[in-house]
Amino acid sequence: QVQLVESGGGLVQAGDSLRLSCAASGRTFSDYPMGWLRQTPGKEREFVAGISRSGGATDYADSVKGRFTISRDNAKNTVYLQMNSLKPEDTAVYYCACAGRYHPGVVFNPDGYYYWGQGTQVTVSS
């Protein structure tokens, strides 16, 4: 079992930046690829960014490429999402998630994530 706790959400204006953090506990953090996904009312959760176990590989949804950066610190059991140039369409609940243990590379499919945090609201006003 892996426990995930997100922090860092809030209300910002378009063009502003936010950094989300996710603290993990319960298992060896570096065994798991991690990801950030988001959800808006009435829609399914969508992949935003993912990072491999070592942090050597990352990938992003097209909608956030060039604006968001995912990183991890395995010594601190924490994954981050730096969000720059925020847009109103980035408004959503953001979830930190943990993919299958020892999975190689980045996990894109939301169904490939097995442990989820409680979510943190990000609201971007125009």
Side-chain angles (χ1 to χ4, degrees):
Q1 191 80 348
V2 177
Q3 292 79 42
L4 303 170
V5 178
E6 301 102 335
S7 60
L11 171 64
V12 297
Q13 293 187 330
D16 286 350
S17 298
L18 274 178
R19 188 174 85 152
L20 305 183
S21 299
C22 172
S25 61
R27 292 280 181 93
T28 303
F29 181 65
S30 59
D31 287 350
Y32 299 87
M34 298 295 296
W36 288 94
L37 299 93
R38 66 188 181 188
Q39 189 171 25
T40 53
K43 293 187 177 181
E44 295 185 354
R45 287 182 189 180
E46 64 171 355
F47 172 82
V48 174
I51 189 166
S52 62
R53 291 160 51 203
S54 67
T58 59
D59 213 337
Y60 302 88
D62 288 343
S63 58
V64 307
K65 277 183 182 176
R67 299 188 298 122
F68 290 11
T69 302
I70 187 171
S71 61
R72 66 190 295 163
D73 185 337
N74 285 345
K76 295 183 178 180
N77 292 351
T78 302
V79 62
Y80 305 96
L81 185 68
Q82 178 67 43
M83 305 185 293
N84 298 331
S85 302
L86 282 161
K87 303 176 180 180
E89 50 264 43
D90 294 319
T91 295
V93 177
Y94 282 72
Y95 296 91
C96 169
C98 181
R101 195 173 189 182
Y102 302 128
H103 190 288
V106 176
V107 177
F108 300 92
N109 189 336
D111 292 338
Y113 289 90
Y114 301 110
Y115 302 106
W116 296 79
Q118 81 286 356
T120 185
Q121 177 71 45
V122 172
T123 303
V124 185
S125 64
S126 59

